[in-house]
Amino acid sequence: MSEADCLFCRIVAKEIPADVVHETERTLAFRDIDPQAPTHVLVIPKDHYRDAAALAAADHGLADEVIKAAHAVAEQEGIAGSGYRLVFNTGPQAGQTVFHVHGHVLGGRGLTWPPG
């Protein structure tokens, strides 16, 4: 499942280059082009789901795979021990700008609360 005009679907299809740091059969992780922390990686399912709610509704274990991939990225990037933030913006009011579900793995510095 993909959408022809979706930026992240085009990255999955290798039509648009990305700095890929982790890949499984059903997930892809790549560096954010506008990083908000020393480590800022986006983790996506390769199939297209509009947002976290759509991914959760799919109910076939893919959300679990995305979170496991995010933790694998944190370990690979050396931030799992010190801590990292995993953020899924869902909808425009939450700051979602690309409507293909993606988790932001943020770390490598102290992260304040509340964010934004």
Side-chain angles (χ1 to χ4, degrees):
M1 177 186 339
S2 70
E3 294 196 4
D5 60 345
C6 171
L7 173 65
F8 292 170
C9 287
R10 294 184 67 204
I11 288 172
V12 169
K14 300 190 184 330
E15 296 172 6
I16 296 175
D19 185 2
V20 174
V21 299
H22 183 78
E23 185 170 5
T24 68
E25 184 179 325
R26 300 200 312 158
T27 67
L28 186 69
F30 50 92
R31 297 199 188 282
D32 194 295
I33 62 168
D34 184 25
Q36 302 300 304
T39 297
H40 189 169
V41 174
L42 303 178
V43 181
I44 67 170
K46 289 181 177 178
D47 286 343
H48 183 89
Y49 296 93
R50 179 177 173 79
D51 54 31
L55 179 61
D59 193 28
H60 52 64
L62 187 53
D64 181 56
E65 289 184 43
V66 170
I67 292 171
K68 285 179 179 176
H71 182 67
V73 166
E75 287 181 327
Q76 176 183 311
E77 296 288 316
I79 60 172
S82 59
Y84 61 96
R85 184 170 290 162
L86 181 56
V87 177
F88 289 85
N89 297 324
T90 300
Q93 288 253 313
Q96 185 178 6
T97 58
V98 177
F99 290 90
H100 181 124
V101 63
H102 54 287
H104 297 256
V105 179
L106 299 152
R109 68 168 172 84
L111 300 170
T112 60
W113 193 263

